[in-house]
Amino acid sequence: MGEIVLYGSIYSRTFTARWILEELALPYRVTEVSLRKRHQKSPRFLKLNPMGKVPALTDDRVVVTETTAICLYLADRYGLGSLAPAPDDPRRGPYLRWAVFATAVLEPAIYMREQALDPSGVGWGDCDTALGALESALSPGPWLLGDGFSAADVAVGAILSVAMFAGRVSGRPVLEAYNARLSERPAYKRAAEANWPPPPS
Ligand SMILES: N[C@@H](CCC(=O)N[C@@H](CS)C(=O)NCC(=O)O)C(=O)O
């Protein structure tokens, strides 16, 4: 196994990458990319992610960006059969579906509602439909694939949890109970502590 380096920043979506790394109990080094100092736009970082956004992760020479891709990559490589169903497992389809849903549907749908933008005709639909779809997937739960927690729960859960904390999603008991279960996980707690340190006094 090579060295895993997480390029990220506190108070950012780096949380998701930290969470999956912690779930997999992988050793990793963190390189802080200061958003305040705009280091995400430095020529050096842009070589890793031309989008100029964190997180980015390197595993030896492999570069992965996009939070969902980081979850899927690490779970396949280091958690196949545990955090990622194997390709011939019937749960593989739903697993990929909900992982992709996280950043392709849920996140833009929440954002558009917050910004009061018209969701008609967009590929991800409206926020209530997206939240309703998620509720169906979690019934009966406890996780998206039923009994087995997976990297799809990390990808979806990170977005949902931040949205709930910020008050962008509320009044959804099924999702609130799911968020409570997620935040009880030791790996979630470790990632949250690292991502949201208390402000210096
Ligand atoms: N689609 C990306 C979004 C990454 C993203 O927007 N990161 C923010 C921090 S939470 C960022 O780097 N913002 C700085 C900028 O856009 O300049 C992912 O899921 O990884």
Side-chain angles (χ1 to χ4, degrees):
M1 185 179 152
E3 189 190 28
I4 296 178
V5 183
L6 174 61
Y7 296 82
S9 173
I10 52 173
Y11 310 117
S12 79
R13 288 171 176 84
T14 304
F15 168 66
T16 316
R18 280 187 185 272
W19 184 9
I20 190 73
L21 285 160
E22 293 291 334
E23 289 284 354
L24 290 161
L26 289 168
Y28 62 99
R29 186 159 63 79
V30 178
T31 294
E32 184 70 18
V33 178
S34 170
L35 298 183
R36 199 172 44 82
K37 295 180 186 162
R38 298 193 60 74
H39 288 170
Q40 78 276 23
K41 308 297 184 201
S42 68
R44 198 154 155 229
F45 185 75
L46 288 173
K47 278 191 192 146
L48 285 180
N49 186 4
M51 291 299 291
K53 287 179 181 290
V54 295
L57 179 135
T58 58
D59 182 7
D60 266 347
R61 291 191 200 167
V62 178
V63 180
V64 193
T65 68
E66 298 299 320
T67 48
T68 299
I70 291 170
C71 291
L72 292 173
Y73 169 83
L74 290 173
D76 271 359
R77 181 129 164 70
Y78 301 107
L80 196 61
S82 56
L83 284 196
D88 60 353
D89 185 322
R91 295 173 309 154
R92 181 76 179 181
Y95 166 73
L96 292 174
R97 172 192 182 182
W98 293 114
V100 170
F101 186 89
T103 39
V105 177
L106 184 63
E107 187 175 37
I110 292 171
Y111 172 81
M112 281 194 80
R113 182 169 73 177
E114 192 196 10
Q115 300 291 319
L117 296 170
D118 178 9
S120 48
V122 296
W124 45 86
D126 69 274
C127 191
D128 277 336
T129 305
L131 295 174
L134 205 51
E135 282 172 341
S136 319
L138 286 163
S139 305
W143 309 114
L144 286 164
L145 301 183
D147 285 336
F149 180 86
S150 75
D153 291 296
V154 176
V156 166
I159 286 164
L160 186 68
S161 208
V162 171
M164 285 190 150
F165 181 78
R168 292 181 201 121
V169 173
S170 58
R172 296 262 180 182
V174 171
L175 301 182
E176 274 152 22
Y178 176 56
N179 185 35
R181 285 192 291 280
L182 293 168
S183 53
E184 280 306 310
R185 298 185 68 84
Y188 175 108
K189 287 185 184 167
R190 286 195 294 274
E193 273 165 26
N195 193 63
W196 290 287
S201 47

